[in-house]
């Protein structure tokens, strides 16, 4: 686990730290009040420690429902990231409170890693639209500031 000093050092090198909830709770089992505590406490702690603006949350285990989405947005977040499998079961992609994310582990094959990083997934156009809407798309650099999700030519 990183220390706050290590996180600050990484931020100074261009990394961004966002939320994953206060303690990686199983959000689908929590009351609205408990959800608010998870989201607000995590957001506040990161913002206090890193003096930045926390706008995004990756749902623990990628699980979410409509109440979690609504609570997340009400707590001041701009977007939530779910695992691809959970988003796919719910609805068509594109809503900011249910952006897909793929898990990369030590067991991820090199070919799969390349596919994920270079944005060749079927939802690429929606990710590019989202990145453009957030103002993170930099056509002069041939892409975006999100590690290849909208690679050149997107």
């Amino acid at each position: 686990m990183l220390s706050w000093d290590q996180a600050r050092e990484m931020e100074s090198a261009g990394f961004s730290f966002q939320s994953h909830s206060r303690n990686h709770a199983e959000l689908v089992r929590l009351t609205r009040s408990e959800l608010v505590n998870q989201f607000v406490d995590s957001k506040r702690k990161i913002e206090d420690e890193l003096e930045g603006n926390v706008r995004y949350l990756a749902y623990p285990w990628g699980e979410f429902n409509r109440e979690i989405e609504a609570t997340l947005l009400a707590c001041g977040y701009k977007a939530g990231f779910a695992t691809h499998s959970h988003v796919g079961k719910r609805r068509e992609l594109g809503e900011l409170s249910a952006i897909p994310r793929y898990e990369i582990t030590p067991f991820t094959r090199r070919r799969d890693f390349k596919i994920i990083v270079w944005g060749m997934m079927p939802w690429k156009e929606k990710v590019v639209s989202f990145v453009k809407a957030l103002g993170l798309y930099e056509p002069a650099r041939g892409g975006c500031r999100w590690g290849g999700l909208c690679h050149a030519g997107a």
Side-chain angles (χ1 to χ4, degrees):
M1 181 163 313
L2 294 174
S3 69
W4 288 113
D5 286 336
Q6 290 169 318
R8 281 187 276 281
E9 183 179 346
M10 289 177 72
E11 275 211 334
S12 71
F15 285 84
S16 173
F17 289 86
Q18 300 296 310
S19 182
H20 196 46
S21 77
R22 187 180 74 229
N23 61 4
H24 208 268
E26 193 172 348
L27 301 179
V28 295
R29 294 180 179 257
L30 302 181
T31 66
R32 181 166 171 82
S33 174
E34 291 169 326
L35 288 171
V36 168
N37 289 335
Q38 286 288 326
F39 298 155
V40 171
D41 290 352
S42 173
K43 187 177 193 320
R44 190 173 293 146
K45 179 69 173 176
I46 297 168
E47 288 176 345
D48 289 349
E49 290 289 344
L50 301 180
E51 300 177 1
N53 188 9
V54 174
R55 298 173 294 194
Y56 313 110
L57 178 128
Y59 301 115
W61 297 289
E63 296 177 326
F64 65 99
N65 58 34
R66 295 243 183 243
E67 181 179 2
I68 292 169
E69 291 175 286
T71 305
L72 179 77
L73 298 175
C75 288
Y77 288 85
K78 300 290 182 204
F81 292 82
T83 57
H84 184 263
S85 60
H86 285 90
V87 173
K89 291 175 188 173
R90 281 280 316 274
R91 69 182 107 165
E92 207 176 291
L93 305 180
E95 293 186 31
L96 296 184
S97 55
I99 300 165
R101 64 183 166 98
Y102 283 83
E103 182 177 30
I104 297 174
T105 72
F107 305 105
T108 302
R109 294 179 301 178
R110 180 182 211 134
R111 180 185 68 84
D112 296 334
F113 177 80
K114 286 180 179 179
I115 289 170
I116 292 166
V117 171
W118 291 108
M120 295 189 293
M121 297 299 178
W123 46 266
K124 178 181 176 183
E125 294 77 23
K126 292 183 187 267
V127 172
V128 171
S129 296
F130 169 72
V131 170
K132 286 179 179 179
L134 291 176
L136 297 176
Y137 188 73
E138 296 179 350
R141 289 182 47 199
C144 72
R145 298 183 292 199
W146 274 19
L149 283 178
C150 51
H151 182 61

